[in-house]
Amino acid sequence: MQLGFSTWGMPAVPIDAIVRHLTGLGFDGVELTVLSHHTTALEKLDKAERSRILKLLQDHGLQLPAIAGHVSLMDEDSASHAANLERLRNTMDLALDWAYGDGPPVIDTTAGGAPEDWDSKLGMLVERIQEAAEYGEKAGVTIAIEPHVGSIIDTPDRMLEVIRQVGSPAVAVNFDISHFNVMGIGIEESVAKMAPHARHTHVKDERGTVPDFEFLVPGEGEFDYVTYLKAMRRHGYTGYITAEISNMVQRRTPYYPLAVATETYNTLAQAFVDAGIERN
């Protein structure tokens, strides 16, 4: 396994500063976020900038296992859904432009919707994921769906059912265990179900359970990273463990994203050591 950091928590930080800082800390890879309010927004990435960023990553020896390209797949308005799907396809094209090392990065996205939509809108969700997956299959890019507390896919069993019904090799899981933790689902249960289907991961820290919970910076809360890492290895996961800093943390005043990245690295790098797992 390797250690990564998502730029989800660094929306205003220039990419050059991000790469220098993460490399200096010792991270193995980075998940770049291309939402519209980020410095690496999809809209800002012309051909020259794509090439420049790719060279920047390669020059610093920083891998790119994933791109955070979240769109809603549950928008009721047909025009809005068409725009979301087009953005997702354009993000898959970006993955091809940024492919190196182990191939194109996976595209992480949540599904949207709400838990109470499950019975009435599962069919629509499956059809829409299949629609996106068809493009992914042709391009050779994987879409990694992230189960998320408060969304239509909020449990491991629901994620497994979606994978079964979609039936596409281009669809996998972005396994963010924090969303299951705050629902009271244990590490062993969620890892056993999600690790075999995971192409990428997120980790945070947290305190409490739904509805009274809080996402935190790794090291601030109660999550047992050592037990988690050992479970992931035991269930055959060999990819990136990527830290994500939640919007809850980003709303703090003041919020220092580079300092948070440093705190995160120190916590997770030590957890690898304590778990007896070499990063490779």
Side-chain angles (χ1 to χ4, degrees):
M1 289 185 281
Q2 304 85 41
L3 182 53
F5 191 86
S6 174
T7 64
W8 179 270
M10 296 178 163
V13 182
I15 183 61
D16 299 79
I18 290 172
V19 170
R20 284 196 304 270
H21 189 69
L22 297 184
T23 303
L25 290 172
F27 280 102
D28 305 307
V30 61
E31 175 191 60
L32 294 182
T33 307
V34 296
L35 274 63
S36 59
H37 64 291
H38 280 253
T39 57
T40 50
L42 188 62
E43 299 87 341
K44 300 175 183 178
L45 298 175
D46 59 18
K47 183 177 181 180
E49 182 66 356
R50 294 181 185 204
S51 297
R52 189 186 77 82
I53 290 174
L54 178 60
K55 186 175 187 302
L56 181 69
L57 295 173
Q58 292 173 327
D59 287 349
H60 284 78
L62 203 59
Q63 294 297 309
L64 181 65
I67 297 171
H70 298 62
V71 299
S72 174
L73 297 170
M74 299 298 294
D75 202 307
E76 297 281 359
D77 180 76
S78 58
S80 296
H81 170 63
N84 289 342
L85 181 61
E86 182 65 16
R87 185 180 184 89
L88 192 59
R89 288 169 173 164
N90 290 340
T91 307
M92 286 189 262
D93 291 340
L94 173 64
L96 296 177
D97 289 341
W98 278 347
Y100 76 102
D102 293 332
V106 303
I107 305 302
D108 291 342
T109 186
T110 50
E116 56 268 26
D117 295 332
W118 179 256
D119 290 332
S120 61
K121 298 180 180 178
L122 175 58
M124 180 180 78
L125 174 65
V126 168
E127 289 180 2
R128 288 181 169 186
I129 294 176
Q130 287 173 331
E131 188 177 18
E134 182 178 356
Y135 193 87
E137 288 179 24
K138 292 177 181 177
V141 176
T142 298
I143 304 165
I145 308 291
E146 179 180 321
H148 197 289
V149 62
S151 79
I152 187 172
I153 308 174
D154 61 344
T155 67
D157 288 339
R158 286 186 172 185
M159 186 70 250
L160 292 176
E161 180 61 19
V162 168
I163 290 173
R164 186 188 71 80
Q165 291 199 30
V166 170
S168 170
V171 175
V173 177
N174 182 50
F175 176 25
D176 186 335
I177 194 171
S178 67
H179 294 288
F180 302 138
N181 293 339
V182 299
M183 295 179 69
I185 300 171
I187 290 174
E188 180 59 31
E189 178 182 351
S190 60
V191 170
K193 291 178 177 178
M194 293 290 92
H197 303 276
R199 284 288 305 274
H200 191 244
T201 68
H202 285 158
V203 293
K204 321 189 242 298
D205 216 329
E206 66 276 329
R207 182 184 297 118
T209 55
V210 174
D212 299 315
F213 72 94
E214 180 182 15
F215 287 134
L216 303 167
V217 177
E220 292 182 343
E222 52 199 32
F223 185 54
D224 186 346
Y225 294 99
V226 172
T227 296
Y228 161 75
L229 290 171
K230 288 180 177 179
M232 291 292 279
R233 179 176 60 180
R234 191 169 62 253
H235 286 281
Y237 183 76
T238 59
Y240 270 80
I241 304 297
T242 295
E244 181 191 56
I245 306 303
S246 76
N247 290 332
M248 288 183 179
V249 173
Q250 293 180 53
R251 286 193 289 267
R252 296 176 182 176
T253 304
Y255 169 63
Y256 299 111
L258 298 181
V260 165
T262 301
E263 181 181 350
T264 297
Y265 180 82
N266 291 338
T267 296
L268 296 181
Q270 186 62 48
F272 270 84
V273 173
D274 293 344
I277 296 175
E278 292 188 12
R279 289 154 50 192
N280 50 47

